[in-house]
Amino acid sequence: MVKKEQEIANRPDNTAFTQQRLPAWQPMLSAGIVIPGFVLIGLAFIGIGVALFVTSRSIQVMELDYTGVEQTSPCFRCSDPNVKNCVCLLDFSIDSLFKGPVFFYYGLTNYFQNYRRYGVSKDDDQLSGNLDSFISPSDTCAPYEFDSNNKPIVPCGSVANSMFNDTFKLYQIISGAKNQVPFDGKGIAWWTDYNVKYRNPSVTPLRDAFNGTVKPLFWPRPAYELDPSDPNNNGFINQDFLVWMRRAALPDFRKLYRRITEGDYTQGLPAGNYSLEIAYNYPVLSFDGRKKVVLSNVSWMGGKNEFLGIAYLVIGSLCIVMSIVMLIVYAKFKFPEEE
Amino acid sequence: MVTCCYISAQHPDLFTLTLNIATKDDYDVNSHSSATASAASMERLHWVQHRCRQLLARDSERGWYSTPNGLPAKSSQDAHSSPQRVSGKRRRVFARNGPHQQEYEAVSKGYKGNAIRTTKYSLLTFIPMNLFQQFHRAANLYFLFLALLNWVPVVEAFQKEITMIPLLVVLTVIAIKDALEDYRRYLSDKKVNNNVVQVFCGKQKAYIDKCWKDVRVGDFIRLSCNEIIPADMLLLYSSDPRGVCYIETANLDGETNLKQRQVVLDLPFQGGEITLEDFHSRIECENPNNDLSRFRGYMEHPNGVRVGLHNSNLLLRSCTIRNTETVVGIVVYAGHETKAMMNNSGPRYKRSQLEKRLNTDVLWCVLLLIIMCLTGAVGHGLWVKNLKNPIFETDTETSPALAGFYVFWTMIIVLQVLIPISLYVSIEIVKLGQIYFIHNDLALYNEQLDSRIQCRALNITEDLGQIQYLFSDKTGTLTENKMVFRRCSIYGVEYPHKENAQRLEVYEAEENEAAGRSVTLKSGCSRKSLSCRSLSCNRSSVSLHTLTAESEEEDRLSNHIQSRTSAFCSRVAREVVPDPELVRKLSWLCSPAQPLSDGSSGTPCSLELTYITDFFLALAICNSVVVSSPSQPRHVVPEARTPLKSLEEIKLMFQRFSFSPFSALSTPQIRGSFTSRLFSRGKTGSFTFSTPPNSTTDGSETGQENNLESSNLRRKLDLSSREDGGGAGQTETEDGIDDARIDPDGFGQKVEDLSKEDDCESDTDDELLYEAESPDEAALVHAAQAYRCTLRGRSPESLLVDLPGIGSLAVQLLHILPFDSNRKRMSVVVRHPLSGQLVVYTKGADSVIMDLTETSKGAEQAQEIYSHVREQTQKHLDSYAREGLRTLCIAKKVLEEEEYEVWLKRHLLAESSIENREELLMDSAERLETNLTLLGTTGILDRLQEEVPETIEALQRAGIKVWVLTGDKKETAINIAYACKLLRPDDELLTVSCGSKDACAVLLQELKLEVQHGGDRLMEPSAVESRSESSLSSPADFILVIDGCTLEWALQEELKSDFLELSCRCKAVICCRSTPLQKSQVVRLVRDQLGAMTLAVGDGANDVSMIQVADVGIGISGQEGMQAVMSSDFAISRFKHLSKLLLVHGRWCYSRLANMILYFFYKNVMYVNLLFWYQFFCGFSGGLMSNSWVLILFNLLFTSVPPIIYGVLDRDIPADTLMELPELYRAAQTSKIYVPSMFWINILDAFYQSLVCFFVPYFALAGSDVGDLSFGSPINASALLIILLHQVIESHTLTWIHVLVLAFSAASYFGFVLLFSLFCVTCSPPTNPLGVETLQMSQPLFYIICTLTTVMALLPRLLVRALHDTLNPATALRTAQMDKVDSERYCKRMRRWNQNHSRVNRLPVSADNPGLEPSTDTVVS
């Protein structure tokens, strides 16, 4: 008995695995599977496409370019880089109710927040409230690491330095009177950014933490004074700062500035004339950029985007067409052979 | 034979040179391998040894040892004063505990101990050494380059650490693998080193147990039977009274026959008790080298006498002592300096065809990468140039050009994945997996030998799927190499052995059982479990360096060897049913009542009887077979039993029958009329029998004795004994013979009687086991045994032979002139036991022997008879060859004493010469082997292995051209070709055989024309419709047969192309009588000139060069040693395994690997392009939309396993179908899967998919407030889904393993990014992913985008595949089926056509080989 076992000691195991006989599904894409499959996919896509298209259609968007390139533009005056503290007024009207909640964005074009060296130029440690990094910011921040006096810049880096600093006020003009539309600036940044990622140093008052540092060169005010109205909206957890720090993926982008959810405007912006007061600070003309303001409401699928709906419809129809083609092909080539 | 296998694989040139001494059938002389033959040359007479020793001693004083000319004195002084310096040239050894303690200390310092270390690293050196080793790989250097590049701040793309990850992962994986391997080696080293051996201890004056590792040069070691030799040592003492010892070198070369080793001559304590304390001698020998067959040196005794030492005194490490109680030796080389260790070579590395192609595509990828990086660089330069000091600018000083230059490098880092470096690692893993499955295939497992396929080369699995030309050896490859005595012809009379043939057929059925039994046959005999199977003979892959195999392999090895040895004496071979006619003649000889009546009444002529007896005596003794019986250890020669008759009786007998009519035709003294002379001799009656075989003193009488044929004597003895109412044993025979005479039809009964007697005999005497170096020898000895001419034992000086009717007789053995492939023959010189004549028996290739046999001068009648015999024999030879039998001629020669003396002198000189001893010995042998008398010829059947015809047919259907390269005769080769269906009856045979180069050139041209014409002819008239239908079998069915010398011409530069062109047009080529060198030349020619993928399969040393030259070398682990296996890439045990190996595994491996590689390229290009497209939106600045961790891990982790599984497990077509329809192999053969177009199609598809995958999210998110990582999130996710689903579409089979792995890949990605985005607060600085994925995945938009992207990206491929599958459901299968139908139809038609035309159109077969008919009856098994 033992001998026999020895004799076949080398015999490979006769298992389905070792003998490569594992039961296998062969994805033979024959007409029988593919045609119904394509029909199903096609129908589903068309369904989704219709839903997306309809949804997208229902979203209202209003874009207002205020760069002031053209001389007729109200902000043309301000576009001169030498003019400081310029304010311009942009009038516009809404024909029908702009359903709320309305999101108020500012938009920049030809602005490369995704430029690699720009994106790198920040110090996450510093921004998470690490005081050591206040004194010696990361190398990545260069050349916005130290100022000319060799004092550390906080927040350091190009991203922070280039923070968008135009401010907006929206007025509804009701029979000549300006009625300010209240802006909701809370919670416009990501929850994680506001609560986890960005932290102010646990020093009170906050300004003490910034002792020995200087504000970014471009900034009018230091970080701890970003929002004079709300002391909790200062330092690194300032909502606008957070929104700015979340770099845009593409060179034409918009960023959430405020939401219009309060007061008379919870239902949206009623039809009428509006005036937008812009504190024009941010220079974009040097690099051929544009600035705009975008008013939009959102749906479950995000902002207005007709591409997705159309794409779904096209692909869905394609699937249906292909299944028909396949059916024809199948009928033509398969059946004669079986005879 | 031995040497061949030790030339390491790295020296193919050397190889081809040494192969000339290779053995086996290829010289048609059926294998007497030179290995033991050389050992057997040690078996000399004592006085010969003495003289030899003197010569050697003298020689060593002035010979090769002393410095050349002039400075002998000085050099010897040097030698004494500075031993270290001398040790640079040679090694001096003193006894470790002997009186020369000081010298020992001084000399032995530089010598290595016996501890071995095959590990590459130690604990300390592991990391630096391993790193150093690893950075020899280009791939790792590329990684390193990237990692370093990333440390340059201006071009840094990722965090510095992240670029290190791929490098670290690869290095770690490989390091772990290396460490494990090394650890295994370490363990086995330890095991070997701690083996215990008895070493003489100077203090205790006794042998004590020591570990192997503690053995030093100069130690005395005592070993007993079956122990393994721990180090190379000189044999000083053997318990064998003759001072010999036997070793088995199976661990070294797989040869299981025993080699004899000789105690160093002239030792002070020779033969007696050894007193080692008094060992004063000094040994001087060569420095360690790896030549196993050479050892030179001398031992200087205190009295100044020098004794030469050579190979036969050396016991090699890792061999096993056999059949010798105790041996004592002194260690001369230890540890790594032993010859065995110095012959260790690493595993084979071959680069597969596919990999070469792969590299070109990798180069394309490099080009692509450079283009992309250049695009980036230029784009960035322009972009920077157009920037007018924007607010987001961080660096205003760098010029656009420089910025572009920096970005170039940054892009290289970013797009690094485009170069599929991980592909190389993956391919290695995939191949390991493929090897695993090949290794585990039950269909490639041989039950009888319990052996699996051995995969020795790990990286050419897919080459198996592309074989175009298969070069096969014949013997042992197509045939079993189990030789069975089939028929013989003696004295020009053919004995067909019909019953033997029938028996063979009967056994055919039982064969499996028999072989199964033979495995166990010897397991009980003298074979201790070998705890240390050292030296990787047939170890696969990694453990090749190790000295100890794992137990499993050990078992396999020993099993294997056992079965192999016993196969030489398998049941079929052992039992030969004698031919009744021959038995009748033999018995007639014994009959007293039959005087000499010259064949008048059908009784055999007495001369014929002489021939017959001589013939069988020659069969029994002219060999190097070692005899043993299960109950007794091998080699012990049983004491010669007392002859049945007293000497007195014998003498009496001789006197009575000295009128013998059949005395010595062959002797040169024959004069006058044949019969009258015989009678006159009879009348003189002055014969006296010289009893002691070695008493050579009685000169005058010897002269007379010489005239008498020994065999006559034996018959007479028998006769006389009967008359005298001899031994009881005789009566039985007599009865049988009487019966036979009474009833002439009762042969069968008589045969029974005979065999009964045989049985009785073997029952009483134990079954004798013959261990021959070649199966042919064993077969012949067994054949002789069947006629009761039994070889009972062997000692260096004599042979013990049973003769029918006489009993055991000692035959004094004077010389063995061993087989060598140049002479193609071997001879023994014996003193005839009865006649006392000096007789040379020679057996060898018919071509050689026929030339050497004299046309006897003198007596007309004799000459007439003789030439008649020659003629007849030649006729029989031809017919044997046509039957596919292996033929051997047996001849003899009677030597005059003076003649012998003269020859002996020169022979001794030759033996004792140091320089070109081999040539001298050969000359000497050639001098002796002249004027032979042809006795007869034997036909040995070497049956085809099972399923060979089917396999060959399948391979041919698969489009593989099968060439047979054999050393056999043309007729034999053609017949085997018929038998194995390589040749069909209606194939046209083109024979190329010519004497000169010019003739050869002309002939080749002619044949080319003929083939062209023939092809046309076949195309044209009657066959046209069948031809056109089946284009597959069209490459004209011509078979080219070319012989060795013509091949020599054809392979020359000028004729090469003609030959090649001709052979390409032929369905098959048979090269007969080819040498190993030619074999390899042919393979090289086809491989290089046609660029075809070649496979060579063979089993013997003569195939080694061919196996090494071919792209894929396959060794058949059969009857002939392990050389072929050791040089092969794959070793199988049966030819039939080839079909599954190639058709299924080869095809699978190829398609798997090809598909995997294509997929890999696709995957990398697809993913990297996503990053590239993004560059168009970030100013070509090398910006990323993904976290760099995800980027790195995407290839390293998330999508790395599925392709590997795909490469290991995918089955494009089921195995059964592949086996049934070999035509399917053609697709892979012509590289249809992995062609440039496929590569580019995949690249294009990758481009399309990446475009979709990037721009769908782009358009969906453009203008929105999407952040960079949020933008990347759906892109990454859909890329992953696309890549995984793409594989699902591409897979031919999906098992639960696939599903599991795919699910795991997807899960690992999503798990990773989710966890990362939850917990990575400040990590991964520039691209901190905190909250990104969680947010994205909570939004429906993410899923909407992913769905659209995935479907859109896969749609084209899905559609194409669906259309393809619908249009041709399993195209391949259907076409193949149609082919099959076609070929069947074609065959039928051809058959009909042939029947019609057979008369008219008898093919040139008959022209070249008159009477050649495909004889299938005997050969086809």
Side-chain angles (χ1 to χ4, degrees), chain A residues 7 10-12 17 19-20 22 25 29 114 116 124 143 218 247 249 254 286 300 305 312 322 337, chain B residues 156 388 394 437 440 442 447 450 452 556 1152 1174 1177 1181 1211 1260 1265-1268 1294 1325 1344 1374:
Chain A
E7 268 173 47
N10 268 314
R11 182 217 215 13
F17 176 69
Q19 299 311 309
Q20 308 196 55
L22 278 180
W25 174 61
L29 294 167
N114 55 16
R116 183 176 62 82
D124 279 350
F218 185 70
R247 294 180 299 113
R254 64 193 186 200
S286 67
W300 56 272
N305 189 313
Y312 263 94
M322 279 193 283
E337 201 207 306
Chain B
E156 176 189 351
K388 290 168 203 106
T394 54
F437 280 119
N440 270 298
L442 264 180
E447 296 257 359
D450 188 33
R452 301 183 189 188
R556 176 158 56 96
R1152 284 166 176 177
Y1174 190 59
F1177 301 95
S1181 61
R1211 279 171 280 158
D1265 58 343
V1266 68
D1268 55 351
L1294 287 177
I1344 291 171
R1374 225 181 34 181

Side-chain angles (χ1 to χ4, degrees), chain B residues 750-1019:
Chain B
K750 185 150 47 86
V751 170
E752 265 169 46
D753 284 348
L754 261 176
S755 48
K756 201 165 80 195
E757 197 176 54
D758 270 345
D759 284 352
C760 298
E761 212 171 299
S762 57
D763 281 348
T764 50
D765 298 346
D766 299 324
E767 203 171 358
L768 287 172
L769 287 177
Y770 293 128
E771 281 174 29
E773 283 159 19
S774 76
D776 306 67
E777 281 199 336
L780 291 182
V781 177
H782 283 119
Q785 194 184 13
Y787 290 94
R788 297 169 60 213
C789 195
T790 315
L791 179 67
R792 290 230 155 257
R794 157 187 295 272
S795 74
E797 289 134 44
S798 67
L799 295 159
L800 196 63
V801 186
D802 271 5
L803 293 174
I806 295 178
S808 293
L809 280 176
V811 181
Q812 192 188 357
L813 180 64
L814 300 178
H815 292 281
I816 292 183
L817 306 174
F819 171 81
D820 84 54
S821 48
N822 292 321
R823 269 164 56 232
K824 299 184 181 177
R825 58 186 178 264
M826 82 165 286
S827 302
V828 288
V829 185
V830 294
R831 186 168 293 278
H832 202 283
L834 299 175
S835 67
Q837 280 174 320
L838 288 163
V839 187
V840 182
Y841 289 107
T842 306
K843 82 175 173 199
D846 47 4
S847 56
V848 187
I849 301 286
M850 286 310 242
D851 291 344
L852 288 175
T853 49
E854 43 152 10
T855 6
S856 70
K857 45 201 180 272
E860 236 172 73
Q861 195 186 347
Q863 194 174 352
E864 214 170 86
I865 292 172
Y866 190 68
S867 54
H868 175 73
V869 168
R870 269 178 64 98
E871 238 168 65
Q872 286 298 315
T873 311
Q874 186 61 55
K875 236 166 79 185
H876 296 143
L877 274 175
D878 293 343
S879 78
Y880 288 176
R882 273 199 302 279
E883 279 175 41
L885 298 181
R886 300 157 66 86
T887 51
L888 271 180
C889 284
I890 312 288
K892 74 171 246 185
K893 175 188 186 179
V894 176
L895 279 177
E896 295 295 321
E897 287 291 335
E898 307 87 59
E899 203 182 334
Y900 175 66
E901 283 293 338
V902 173
W903 175 79
L904 186 62
K905 249 179 224 158
R906 296 182 62 181
H907 185 70
L908 283 175
L909 266 176
E911 271 192 333
S912 54
S913 71
I914 300 288
E915 312 279 340
N916 51 29
R917 179 163 174 262
E918 283 74 24
E919 288 115 77
L920 286 174
L921 277 178
M922 198 170 106
D923 289 345
S924 168
E926 276 176 354
R927 269 199 308 282
L928 193 65
E929 291 156 340
T930 50
N931 292 331
L932 302 169
T933 309
L934 183 67
L935 292 173
T937 175
T938 58
I940 294 170
L941 175 63
D942 186 10
R943 283 174 307 160
L944 281 184
Q945 287 182 13
E946 71 266 46
E947 288 178 44
V948 165
E950 290 86 344
T951 308
I952 288 198
E953 197 194 351
L955 293 177
Q956 286 192 331
R957 277 172 63 195
I960 300 172
K961 287 197 171 183
V962 181
W963 291 28
V964 174
L965 310 176
T966 173
D968 267 340
K969 291 174 64 120
K970 187 169 71 187
E971 289 77 14
T972 315
I974 289 174
N975 249 283
I976 291 290
Y978 269 119
C980 61
K981 301 219 175 109
L982 183 65
L983 222 65
R984 312 245 166 167
D986 34 286
D987 286 336
E988 201 160 330
L989 211 59
L990 308 172
T991 314
V992 185
S993 173
C994 37
S996 76
K997 195 170 156 186
D998 298 336
C1000 182
V1002 172
L1003 191 59
L1004 283 178
Q1005 290 294 347
E1006 267 174 24
L1007 286 174
K1008 248 166 69 182
L1009 280 178
E1010 189 182 332
V1011 168
Q1012 253 164 343
H1013 178 70
D1016 295 344
R1017 180 175 44 116
L1018 275 176
M1019 280 303 219

Side-chain angles (χ1 to χ4, degrees), chain B residues 44 56 107 123 179 239 255 318 349 382 501 688 766 794 901 942 958 1057 1118 1171 1176 1212 1294 1320 1327 1389 1391 1416:
Chain B
R44 297 180 205 108
L56 258 179
V107 161
L123 269 182
S239 59
E255 290 178 27
S318 77
Y349 182 81
L382 292 175
T688 34
D766 299 324
R794 157 187 295 272
E901 283 293 338
D942 186 10
S1057 55
L1171 301 176
F1176 288 88
D1212 57 346
L1294 287 177
C1320 176
T1327 52
R1389 196 161 300 161
R1391 221 171 292 137
T1416 39

